[in-house]
Amino acid sequence: MDLSPDQMSPTDIYHALTQIIIPRPIAWVLSPNDTNAESLNLAPFSFFNVVCSDPPILMLSMGNKSDGTLKDSCRNLLERQRCVIHIAQDAQAAQVSDSARELNLGESELEGTELELVDFNGTSMQRLRQVPVALACRLHQHLEVGNKPQNLLLVEVEHIWVDDEVCFNDGKGRVRFDAEKIKPLARLGGAEYASLDQVFRVQRP
Ligand SMILES: Cc1cc2nc3c(=O)[nH]c(=O)nc-3n(C[C@H](O)[C@H](O)[C@H](O)COP(=O)(O)O)c2cc1C
């Protein structure tokens, strides 16, 4: 099949791209709804990846709400410059999906869930206790991309927490992070998700 984006509607292009750019990692983003971070917003974003390691920069791409206003995570990042990105586990798929509900600004997706917050040591923020990887980030750059436009948010990682249960020493003095224990949840198209079925190695040339 050949597809020409210039002859397709934006919706059809979105459906094609999200079904073929797979699997996508998911940033489960906690962001402060107010200056004192008394209320926190939680939402998943799979237009997410690493951009640079020196300094450590990640990207998130956020569309708008159905009424055309900024998504709460985007507004919180632009107004307060910080967020915590979690790498959710495959068993948390339902909670991740549920946290994508569109609520009014200031309402927290955490209410009524079993997710718990703990202090994120080394930062002024909190993180989700049940998730094995958390990255404390600060806004680096905001760009508007495309016709709607889409908000491209570059964030710098200031602190990383990884549960000791998913870390090991490789015997050569390097800490390794065990993908099979992290069990990251990945996004496919539509309502489909994936987990790591098999981890295999390829000899380096
Ligand atoms: C797994 C998953 C991944 C998502 N990825 C994105 C994304 O990359 N960009 C985006 O704008 N919306 C994405 N969404 C939709 C947002 O999570 C949704 O609009 C949410 O309500 C935003 O919440 P907020 O307004 O509290 O920030 C995704 C939803 C799910 C379930």
Side-chain angles (χ1 to χ4, degrees):
M1 177 181 284
D2 295 287
L3 298 170
S4 301
D6 59 357
Q7 286 161 27
M8 294 165 69
S9 71
T11 305
D12 287 345
I13 296 171
Y14 170 83
H15 285 303
L17 291 179
T18 51
Q19 288 174 75
I20 57 181
I21 311 295
I22 53 169
R24 293 186 304 288
I26 299 173
W28 209 9
V29 180
L30 203 55
S31 62
N33 282 326
D34 49 60
T35 317
N36 299 328
E38 277 165 16
S39 165
L40 295 170
N41 188 88
L42 181 65
F45 296 92
S46 69
F47 288 19
F48 159 60
N49 224 306
V50 186
V51 173
C52 177
S53 55
D54 181 17
I57 307 262
L58 311 179
M59 58 99 8
L60 297 158
S61 176
M62 301 187 187
N64 290 322
K65 290 190 183 192
S66 43
D67 65 3
T69 59
L70 294 178
K71 292 194 180 184
D72 299 342
S73 308
C74 183
R75 183 179 299 274
N76 288 346
L77 252 168
L78 294 179
E79 289 183 0
R80 300 183 189 92
Q81 271 84 53
R82 57 205 169 103
C83 72
V84 175
I85 295 179
H86 302 80
I87 305 298
Q89 294 190 295
D90 50 12
Q92 292 165 326
Q95 288 168 302
V96 167
S97 172
D98 202 43
S99 70
R101 282 174 296 139
E102 198 172 294
L103 302 180
N104 292 325
L105 181 63
E107 288 177 8
S108 176
E109 290 77 7
L110 286 165
E111 274 164 38
T113 72
E114 290 175 359
L115 293 166
E116 290 168 32
L117 295 167
V118 290
D119 286 340
F120 191 162
N121 292 334
T123 83
S124 58
M125 295 185 263
Q126 291 183 295
R127 61 174 174 81
L128 298 174
R129 187 183 64 74
Q130 292 98 328
V131 188
V133 181
L135 305 116
C137 302
R138 187 163 292 276
L139 183 65
H140 175 77
Q141 200 174 347
H142 170 224
L143 298 165
E144 291 185 332
V145 178
N147 295 324
K148 279 202 170 171
Q150 190 89 3
N151 296 283
L152 179 61
L153 299 154
L154 301 182
V155 295
E156 180 167 349
V157 180
E158 293 190 328
H159 198 89
I160 301 171
W161 176 82
V162 184
D163 191 334
D164 288 341
E165 291 294 315
V166 304
C167 304
F168 63 98
N169 196 308
D170 69 357
K172 296 175 197 153
R174 272 175 72 152
V175 176
R176 294 272 310 279
F177 305 102
D178 189 337
E180 287 176 287
K181 287 190 179 165
I182 294 176
K183 296 179 186 291
L185 176 67
R187 183 85 197 262
L188 307 175
E192 291 181 343
Y193 290 81
S195 52
L196 287 185
D197 181 38
Q198 191 189 8
V199 175
F200 59 92
R201 288 168 183 269
V202 176
Q203 279 310 339
R204 290 189 179 147

